[in-house]
Amino acid sequence: MTQSLQEPVTVIKGIGEETAASLREMNIETVQDLIEYLPFRYEDYRLKDLAEVQHEERVTVEGVVHSEPSLIYYSRKKSRLTVKLLVGRYLISAVFFNQPYLKNKIVLNETITVTGKWDRNRQTITVNEMKVGHHHHERELEPVYSIKGSVTVKSLRKYIQNAFLSYGNWIEENLPASLIQKYKLLSRHLALKAMHFPKDSNDLKQARRRMIYEEFLLFQLKMQALRKIQRENSMGVQQKYQLPLLKQYIATLPFPLTSAQKRVVNEILADMKSPYRMNRLLQGDVGSGKTVVASIALFASHTAGFQGALMVPTEILAEQHFQSLSKLLQPMGVNVALLTSSVKGKKRKEILYELAQGKIHTIIGTHALIQDEVNFQKLGLVITDEQHRFGVEQRRILREKGESPDVLFMTATPIPRTLAITVFGEMDVSIIDEMPAGRKTIETYWAKHDMLERVLAFMEKELRKGRQAYVICPLIEESEKLDLQNAIDVHNVLTQYFSGRFKVGLMHGKLHPSEKEEVMKEYSENKIQVLVSTTVVEVGVNVPNATFMLIYDAERFGLSQLHQLRGRVGRGSDQSYCILLADPKSENGKERMRIMTETNDGFVLSEKDLELRGPGDFFGKKQSGLPEFKVADMVHDYRVLEVARDDAAKLVSSQSFWTEPEYSPLRKYLKDSGVLEGEKLD
Ligand code: ADP
Ligand code: MG
């Protein structure tokens, strides 16, 4: 039956080969594609009260001509026609550019209807469309489509109309009747029709409501089915750790675990002990103590007779984790090793050999760890830190190493709940939502560039107390395109400024790994007091004596990134400071600076970041792995997303979902999208 919707678009009246070719460029091949090709916005021809119209908004008004039109020519082709209109109780001007012929159509005391852009300050409409007489438009809301080739918006509307006439009745419902009733949704047929030809704004609203729910439900269904299948089909390793040893280890820590740390440790241990494979995301703000949690999990794996791996995005981080984990775990008899791309030659061979022999128990490294040459004897647990920097593909390769090891993804970028349930919808999530006691909040100030001297004086005061400072720049070197501070120049300037008093170091991504290492070593040993750096220090770096951070051109960074950067200070017991040097031009930029000075809560910042920058920018476009929705908006329609997730979870865990005919369109969807293997289905 759906066969007919699968027919090529050429069966539709008016569509020939040439049009079909243009439609193909728009990814429209079948009748179904055409019907599901939705407008990206609507032209609004509803009459509005001018008091409610925003500046520069497009509007349609009906008014009585209140003055003789006056026409001015600037050149042979350029002209301006102006007329006064009485619109309700407002006397406004209507301006027409380069349409001199309209002068004769506009008659004093007659009614005309105009559509155009409203200039609130000048009380003027710049008219695009004019009609003599009262407002009456076929439709209040006219759909606008993106188009290619020979297709026009008008012709496309016609094709879609024809498609609905001949094929509309073939559009099948895909949602179960129970959900349609529960939420009083339009049928798929009526909703699609109203998306293209809304009778009025309420009709459109209902159609959108239905389409948004459908999009989210299908998406969440995929996630929830994936999660269920991963749990049930991926028999993982069962790690029977030795609890007494774990307790012994935890007792050696210089501090008691916070209750949030205890909770997530228990969640992780439960996963490790179970025969299912762990697929868990561990979220915790900078400094919330994830590394300790990771060390407990790695040690647990060791006591169960398995090897563990910790993967981080940069060499500096790998180095630091190696240091801190060795200190914690070595005394417990765990052999910890480091593997990065700068470990070469004989040393590398040795590590690879010992890893394959099981002589190394815990390995720390960069993505070098997921290369083919790296083999484990018995890999039980893989932990990745700052996981959003790893792409989806790397996540997959990781999971496939060894005999399906347990996988824990750690991130210090608090991910807004919104994104967590979309991007990581197929994972379990643990959250450390509590800071170790006694942490001081970092005092954050926003300063304009012309206050730099005072800022440097402030910085010097801290340095004199024996503290250290970071200075962050958006660029490494001078750029022709961007007028931004670069690390190399700033390094030169500050070296001169502090000459004879403090030593200034330079750190950026183009340095050789051994140079980076050297600089970081000097900084952590306080041989360098001021470290000028690009954002390479963003993640994980830990120098507790650093209490001052200055960020140049801070408006260039997103809130989450600023928060990450800021997390490099405030790691010791002393009061820390972060100065944002910025002259943002946009309101949005100013807002971001203000928010930074007001809160230290990573989750609050991440939600704000998402709100201000949108989901695409949040992770950076390339790696985001964010799904694209046609109608729905993850941020705006978040509530629906949550509802859809709960519905999807209930569906996949119910018996009837897998057997009853009511759900067969949804099962077919899962099958078509590759989530379900054929044989698992009816
Ligand atoms: P994260 O990796 O989450 O940013 P870390 O694990 O690096 O945080 O911990 C930050 C600092 O807090 C470290 O110096 C660590 O030793 C310390 N720390 C961790 N857990 C606790 C705790 N429960 N009580 C006190 N200090 C802690
Ligand atoms: Mg960390």
Side-chain angles (χ1 to χ4, degrees):
M1 277 210 187
T2 38
Q3 197 58 36
S4 46
L5 284 182
Q6 296 309 321
E7 285 173 31
V9 280
T10 45
V11 299
I12 301 295
K13 199 169 133 220
I15 301 183
E17 282 306 328
E18 192 200 338
T19 305
S22 295
L23 288 174
R24 203 167 304 128
E25 278 179 55
M26 293 154 61
N27 288 323
I28 300 174
E29 307 219 3
T30 65
V31 177
Q32 178 165 352
D33 297 338
L34 184 63
I35 282 174
E36 291 177 358
Y37 193 80
L38 300 178
F40 67 90
R41 69 180 179 89
Y42 297 82
E43 209 70 89
D44 190 346
Y45 290 103
R46 279 173 295 172
L47 286 179
K48 280 190 195 156
D49 186 335
L50 280 173
E52 286 156 21
V53 180
Q54 301 293 314
H55 181 58
E56 305 228 302
E57 192 184 325
R58 199 184 139 95
V59 65
T60 298
V61 293
E62 184 185 285
V64 178
V65 178
H66 206 71
S67 71
E68 289 292 348
S70 81
L71 180 62
I72 302 171
Y73 275 95
Y74 301 106
S75 67
R76 217 164 57 81
K77 283 191 176 155
K78 295 201 164 156
S79 69
R80 190 175 81 170
L81 182 67
T82 312
V83 66
K84 293 270 180 217
L85 279 185
L86 190 61
V87 178
R89 54 208 161 89
Y90 303 95
L91 187 62
I92 67 165
S93 300
V95 180
F96 306 75
F97 286 101
N98 311 325
Q99 292 158 280
Y101 46 87
L102 290 178
K103 185 169 189 249
N104 300 326
K105 293 195 177 173
I106 298 173
V107 180
L108 194 64
N109 293 327
E110 303 254 296
T111 295
I112 62 171
T113 301
V114 293
T115 301
K117 203 200 256 178
W118 175 233
D119 183 330
R120 200 174 174 141
N121 307 327
R122 297 205 164 90
Q123 297 281 297
T124 298
I125 290 184
T126 306
V127 179
N128 305 109
E129 285 176 47
M130 200 266 310
K131 202 164 67 183
V132 174
H134 289 280
H135 174 62
H136 109 94
H137 210 273
E138 280 172 78
R139 305 193 163 277
E140 294 183 344
L141 296 163
E142 198 105 304
V144 183
Y145 303 86
S146 68
I147 44 171
K148 283 190 177 152
S150 64
V151 175
T152 62
V153 169
K154 221 169 157 181
S155 64
L156 186 62
R157 278 187 208 149
K158 194 75 205 152
Y159 305 145
I160 293 174
Q161 201 164 17
N162 289 341
F164 267 88
L165 280 176
S166 323
Y167 290 85
N169 288 330
W170 295 108
I171 299 173
E172 286 185 351
E173 186 51 68
N174 56 359
L175 300 180
S178 51
L179 288 174
I180 299 231
Q181 267 158 21
K182 181 171 172 196
Y183 300 120
K184 301 195 169 45
L185 300 174
L186 287 182
S187 72
R188 190 157 208 274
H189 179 184
L190 289 183
L192 280 169
K193 195 162 168 183
M195 289 299 290
H196 292 291
F197 315 107
K199 286 198 278 286
D200 52 36
S201 60
N202 186 50
D203 195 28
L204 178 60
K205 196 169 135 198
Q206 294 305 325
R208 287 179 49 89
R209 202 164 69 84
R210 144 86 210 205
M211 297 311 293
I212 290 167
Y213 180 77
E214 177 190 315
E215 274 195 310
F216 281 157
L217 186 78
L218 292 181
F219 173 71
Q220 289 293 347
L221 209 53
K222 241 173 13 186
M223 289 298 197
Q224 298 301 325
L226 218 57
R227 182 173 172 168
K228 182 176 154 77
I229 290 164
Q230 268 171 13
R231 272 204 157 263
E232 291 174 3
N233 288 17
S234 65
M235 291 314 285
V237 286
Q238 204 168 357
Q239 306 196 56
K240 296 190 184 130
Y241 54 82
Q242 298 175 39
L243 195 59
L245 282 178
L246 286 191
K247 286 190 171 155
Q248 217 176 315
Y249 169 58
I250 292 170
T252 67
L253 296 174
F255 42 73
L257 296 180
T258 62
S259 52
Q261 281 172 320
K262 282 184 201 154
R263 190 186 63 238
V264 303
V265 164
N266 284 330
E267 287 166 353
I268 292 165
L269 290 178
D271 276 359
M272 289 174 66
K273 199 160 65 179
S274 89
Y276 297 135
R277 184 197 298 184
M278 170 162 69
N279 187 28
R280 185 171 285 278
L281 179 69
L282 174 60
Q283 288 194 55
D285 209 342
V286 194
S288 62
K290 292 181 300 298
T291 311
V292 178
V293 170
S295 78
I296 296 171
L298 288 166
F299 183 59
S301 195
H302 172 64
T303 67
F306 288 87
Q307 288 168 296
L310 173 64
M311 221 168 80
V312 297
T314 67
E315 303 221 345
I316 301 177
L317 258 181
E319 176 74 33
Q320 281 207 348
H321 274 302
F322 173 64
Q323 304 284 354
S324 57
L325 288 178
S326 300
K327 223 186 283 165
L328 291 170
L329 295 175
Q330 247 15 307
M332 299 302 296
V334 184
N335 187 12
V336 186
L338 174 71
L339 184 66
T340 62
S341 48
S342 44
V343 177
K344 292 201 174 85
K346 201 166 149 237
K347 180 82 189 150
R348 185 179 191 84
K349 268 205 186 122
E350 203 176 289
I351 288 179
L352 290 176
Y353 176 77
E354 290 186 352
L355 206 54
Q357 293 296 307
K359 287 193 181 120
I360 290 172
H361 305 131
T362 296
I363 185 125
I364 321 285
T366 51
H367 54 270
L369 281 186
I370 55 171
Q371 277 150 18
D372 277 343
E373 53 163 353
V374 183
N375 290 305
F376 294 83
Q377 190 224 7
K378 203 176 175 196
L379 181 61
L381 173 67
V382 176
I383 302 180
T384 75
D385 197 5
E386 308 305 339
Q387 119 331 306
H388 73 262
R389 297 186 157 230
F390 292 108
V392 175
E393 179 60 7
Q394 281 157 314
R395 261 150 66 185
R396 191 185 59 75
I397 295 177
L398 239 173
R399 272 199 292 266
E400 289 175 1
K401 277 251 165 225
E403 303 120 31
S404 28
D406 284 325
V407 181
L408 179 68
F409 299 96
M410 300 201 296
T411 179
T413 312
I415 299 165
R417 290 188 308 152
T418 329
L419 292 186
I421 71 170
T422 44
V423 185
F424 307 111
E426 89 284 13
M427 294 188 195
D428 296 305
V429 178
S430 291
I431 299 178
I432 307 184
D433 50 5
E434 178 188 0
M435 285 290 183
R439 276 294 154 71
K440 287 210 175 71
T441 53
I442 302 161
E443 281 181 28
T444 302
Y445 301 98
W446 166 24
K448 305 274 169 69
H449 279 95
D450 59 15
M451 290 160 74
L452 182 60
E453 257 177 66
R454 280 173 59 195
V455 171
L456 290 180
F458 184 9
M459 180 161 143
E460 177 141 11
K461 219 175 100 199
E462 280 297 297
L463 294 174
R464 281 182 194 283
K465 287 191 221 158
R467 305 280 165 268
Q468 288 164 276
Y470 291 100
V471 176
I472 308 295
C473 305
L475 299 178
I476 298 178
E477 53 206 336
E478 205 173 332
S479 150
E480 282 178 12
K481 282 191 215 114
L482 299 165
D483 181 24
L484 294 175
Q485 296 295 332
N486 68 80
I488 292 174
D489 283 356
V490 169
H491 175 248
N492 289 337
V493 170
L494 292 185
T495 301
Q496 219 162 43
Y497 183 92
F498 289 117
S499 150
R501 289 167 293 164
F502 302 106
K503 196 160 175 249
V504 183
L506 175 64
M507 173 78 171
H508 58 71
K510 283 190 185 166
L511 293 181
H512 189 272
S514 63
E515 292 173 295
K516 282 191 211 167
E517 206 172 302
E518 185 57 28
V519 175
M520 274 328 288
K521 191 154 165 276
E522 288 183 7
Y523 189 61
S524 60
E525 290 167 358
N526 200 357
K527 288 180 184 150
I528 291 173
Q529 287 75 46
V530 178
L531 184 63
V532 178
S533 174
T534 55
T535 56
V536 290
V537 296
E538 180 185 340
V539 281
V541 171
N542 190 24
V543 179
N545 191 44
T547 56
F548 189 95
M549 176 172 278
L550 168 60
I551 305 177
Y552 274 90
D553 298 310
E555 78 274 16
R556 297 288 302 178
F557 303 106
L559 288 175
S560 293
Q561 196 175 14
L562 287 172
H563 183 61
Q564 284 294 314
L565 286 166
R566 180 169 63 181
R568 297 313 104 212
V569 295
R571 301 179 82 81
S573 51
D574 297 293
Q575 179 60 53
S576 288
Y577 304 92
C578 175
I579 312 293
L580 309 168
L581 206 56
D583 298 294
K585 301 213 169 51
S586 68
E587 265 315 305
N588 187 306
K590 288 174 192 160
E591 172 78 1
R592 276 187 281 139
M593 295 306 109
R594 270 195 296 268
I595 295 166
M596 281 302 294
T597 62
E598 283 163 13
T599 181
N600 270 281
D601 185 324
F603 276 96
V604 171
L605 286 168
S606 74
E607 296 283 353
K608 273 282 172 200
D609 208 10
L610 183 62
E611 197 181 303
L612 291 171
R613 296 200 306 162
D617 283 344
F618 188 81
F619 285 129
K621 292 227 159 38
K622 289 238 170 59
Q623 299 202 345
S624 73
L626 287 175
E628 289 193 13
F629 298 107
K630 278 202 244 171
V631 186
D633 177 303
M634 278 192 294
V635 180
H636 185 262
D637 305 316
Y638 178 64
R639 296 275 290 279
V640 186
L641 182 58
E642 272 190 323
V643 167
R645 183 201 39 194
D646 292 346
D647 289 339
K650 272 189 212 127
L651 282 176
V652 300
S653 61
S654 77
Q655 196 55 48
S656 55
F657 178 77
W658 304 99
T659 52
E660 297 301 311
E662 185 186 12
Y663 303 106
S664 84
L666 293 181
R667 289 195 300 267
K668 181 171 182 315
Y669 169 77
L670 287 179
K671 202 162 161 183
D672 290 348
S673 52
V675 173
L676 298 183
E677 311 290 331
E679 74 268 21
K680 258 224 86 183
L681 265 180
D682 45 341

